[in-house]
């Protein structure tokens, strides 16, 4: 009887540790998603010309990033600056298109956007919903370009940040978050289950 009780107690302890680790990692994922602002640019179509125009808009926005996001020291400040500068962002994008003979309109918004798992440099952002500055060219039906806007991994001049991605990652993400970003295979099944449980709970 004592052996059975000990076995049950041991199994319960192991199960408790597994569940607590699962919950801890799930909450860490939610915190990671909530600490990022992404830049998302959608081309009008998948034609070669429209894809080139999308990249031209990207380059123009990155070139103006230092003036658009001056003195942004936090996620909240970066998001607030993006919201305030939406008309300027549209103007920059449309001027870039017009200089290349394109008459497509541009819209820009801050939105909650679902992203598949995406790799940027040496980090992989887990799939899920993130806050994003979304720039849509024309019908926005073409392949998109994205990057991590905050922390400033694709806009080195923004927010007075360092320009080396690895240094930026260490400055903005703790060791547990970096483990998620550097070793996504370890977490895919766990995070998919976490999201499914949250979806059912909602």
């Amino acid at each position: 009887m004592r052996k059975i009780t000990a076995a049950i107690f041991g199994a319960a302890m192991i199960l408790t540790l597994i569940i607590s680790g699962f919950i801890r990692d799930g909450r860490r994922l939610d915190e990671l998603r909530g600490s990022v602002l992404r830049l998302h640019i959608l081309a009008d179509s998948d034609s070669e010309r429209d894809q080139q125009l999308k990249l031209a808009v990207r380059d123009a926005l990155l070139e103006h990033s230092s003036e658009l996001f001056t003195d942004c020291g936090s996620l909240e400040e970066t998001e607030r600056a993006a919201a305030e500068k939406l008309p300027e962002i549209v103007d920059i994008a449309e001027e870039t298109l017009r200089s290349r003979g394109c008459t497509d309109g541009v819209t820009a918004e801050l939105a909650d956007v679902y992203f598949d798992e995406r790799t940027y440099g040496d980090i992989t952002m887990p799939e899920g919903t993130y806050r994003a500055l979304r720039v849509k060219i024309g019908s926005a039906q073409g392949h998109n370009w994205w990057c991590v806007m905050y922390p400033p991994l694709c806009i080195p001049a923004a927010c007075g940040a360092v320009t080396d991605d690895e240094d930026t990652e260490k400055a903005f993400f703790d060791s547990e978050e970096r483990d998620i970003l550097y070793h996504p295979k370890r977490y895919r099944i766990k995070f998919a289950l976490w999201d499914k449980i949250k979806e059912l709970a909602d």
Side-chain angles (χ1 to χ4, degrees):
M1 186 66 180
R2 290 180 179 177
K3 290 183 178 179
I4 294 176
T5 301
I8 293 174
F9 179 76
M13 288 294 293
I14 292 172
L15 183 59
T16 299
L17 291 173
I18 291 174
I19 292 175
S20 63
F22 173 75
I23 294 173
R24 182 189 66 247
D25 288 341
R27 288 176 174 168
R28 176 66 71 180
L29 171 65
D30 290 342
E31 291 172 0
L32 176 62
R33 287 171 175 162
S35 68
V36 169
L37 179 65
R38 298 169 80 147
L39 175 61
H40 191 209
I41 304 175
L42 295 89
D44 180 53
S45 76
D46 284 336
S47 72
E48 182 177 352
R49 180 171 184 268
D50 284 341
Q51 288 297 309
Q52 289 175 347
L53 289 171
K54 173 193 71 179
L55 296 180
V57 168
R58 174 202 67 185
D59 293 344
L61 290 176
L62 296 183
E63 183 180 345
H64 287 83
S65 63
S66 59
E67 58 198 70
L68 290 171
F69 302 101
T70 302
D71 298 327
C72 297
S74 68
L75 172 63
E76 291 74 18
E77 290 176 352
T78 304
E79 188 169 337
R80 184 164 56 250
E84 293 172 352
K85 300 292 180 62
L86 288 177
E88 292 179 46
I89 290 169
V90 169
D91 287 344
I92 291 169
E94 289 189 340
E95 287 175 10
T96 301
L97 296 177
R98 302 296 177 267
S99 69
R100 288 162 175 77
C102 176
T103 60
D104 287 343
V106 175
T107 60
E109 62 179 354
L110 282 170
D112 294 325
V113 181
Y114 180 85
F115 290 88
D116 292 329
E117 180 181 276
R118 303 286 182 92
T119 297
Y120 177 74
D122 58 353
I123 65 172
T124 298
M125 301 297 296
E127 67 176 300
T129 301
Y130 294 80
R131 197 70 172 157
L133 169 58
R134 212 171 195 204
V135 180
K136 300 179 181 180
I137 302 172
S139 62
Q141 297 300 307
H143 275 84
N144 61 83
W145 180 89
W146 75 274
C147 72
V148 180
M149 182 178 176
Y150 185 92
L153 300 180
C154 68
I155 309 180
C159 305
V162 294
T163 58
D164 183 84
D165 282 355
E166 184 176 353
D167 289 343
T168 304
E169 291 155 17
K170 289 180 179 178
F172 286 92
F173 299 115
D174 64 29
S175 60
E176 291 182 357
E177 290 171 332
R178 292 199 303 274
D179 192 60
I180 293 173
L181 297 173
Y182 294 151
H183 308 102
K185 292 182 180 179
R186 297 179 184 172
Y187 297 92
R188 281 179 187 143
I189 295 176
K190 183 184 294 186
F191 287 165
L193 182 58
W194 173 260
D195 285 338
K196 192 63 177 178
I197 291 173
K198 289 201 305 177
E199 180 183 331
L200 293 173
D202 293 339

